[in-house]
Amino acid sequence: YQRRVRDSSHTFTRMPASILLDTAIRDWVLVPVVVMVFMSSLLRHHVTLFLRNKPPYDARAAHSTSLLRHAGALRVAGGLLPPRTFEARRAALVAPSGPLTVLSEVKPNAMANPALNPSAMTGMLTNNVAMIVPQIALMGWISFFFSGFVILKLPFPSTLRFKVMLQQGIAMDSLDPSYVSSLSWYFLTLFGLRGLLAIVLGDGNAADDLAMMRQQQGGGMGAAPAPDMSKLFAAELDNLKLVQHEWLPAAALTRLQVRAAAAKA
């Protein structure tokens, strides 16, 4: 497939000729693979949503998050409130019987670990099954019916580094790396349809294999422990106590009067 002609000073290399691909390969191999991968992704998304257990609503966690946001907003934007209103709201939060003080003294539950949550483990197992089973089925289908097919040629030249990735299932060293096998086309389509699936199903859909792999890799090192809410409340309590209130409208009026006096002078 490669012919080298040598003379005393030059070496000429003739690359293999282009392969003429039958249009029936496009109609009966390339297009069906794309359609099957897309339809299986849609089916996997809806099956995963159907099997996924919705976590129960945690009213205590929602109340804690809302309280932290309220205290942070009062600390950051408290200058928009009159001094009497700001001090009344701060006193209600930082009083000995106030919510910030009470919640900052609550001991965290050592058993509240997401890694030990049975519902989370069941959901991860469901996601794994919903991702692996369709992939095994599609790979078996492609390997059985379209094994060894060369289905397309890339419109741009490729290097030998991508030959293993683009020509899986074809053992031909002399074949141009720009040609793509059926099995490699399946993997390219599987990850290449992420943008179309994000448009059809929305971001964060259950058919996003790459995001699911990243989530599994992150979960393999251990789930992140729940934050210590008592420390968060204690830090917000200290910050709110140290805030020096300045009423912004009064400060703006003072600056305006100073500028007017300077302009008259």
Side-chain angles (χ1 to χ4, degrees), residues 11 27 55 57 65 71 84 108 112 116 153 174-175 204 223-224:
T11 300
D27 300 335
Y57 179 74
T65 304
R84 182 178 299 178
L116 303 177
K153 182 181 181 181
S174 58
L175 187 61

Side-chain angles (χ1 to χ4, degrees), residues 24-38:
I25 296 179
R26 175 197 61 196
D27 300 335
W28 297 101
V29 181
L30 189 147
V31 175
V33 169
V34 176
V35 173
M36 287 297 295
V37 172
F38 181 73

Side-chain angles (χ1 to χ4, degrees), residues 173-190:
D173 296 336
S174 58
L175 187 61
D176 191 342
S178 299
Y179 289 95
V180 182
S181 65
S182 58
L183 189 58
S184 297
W185 176 246
Y186 161 70
F187 288 108
L188 293 177
T189 307
L190 182 65

Side-chain angles (χ1 to χ4, degrees), residues 32-33 36-37 39-41 43-44 128-147 182-183 186-187 190 209:
V33 169
M36 287 297 295
V37 172
M39 297 303 295
S40 65
S41 299
L43 180 62
R44 185 170 76 248
N128 291 337
V129 172
M131 180 183 68
I132 294 175
V133 172
Q135 290 185 3
I136 294 177
L138 285 176
M139 288 180 61
W141 173 67
I142 294 173
S143 299
F144 183 79
F145 288 101
F146 310 124
S147 177
S182 58
L183 189 58
Y186 161 70
F187 288 108
L190 182 65
D209 295 314

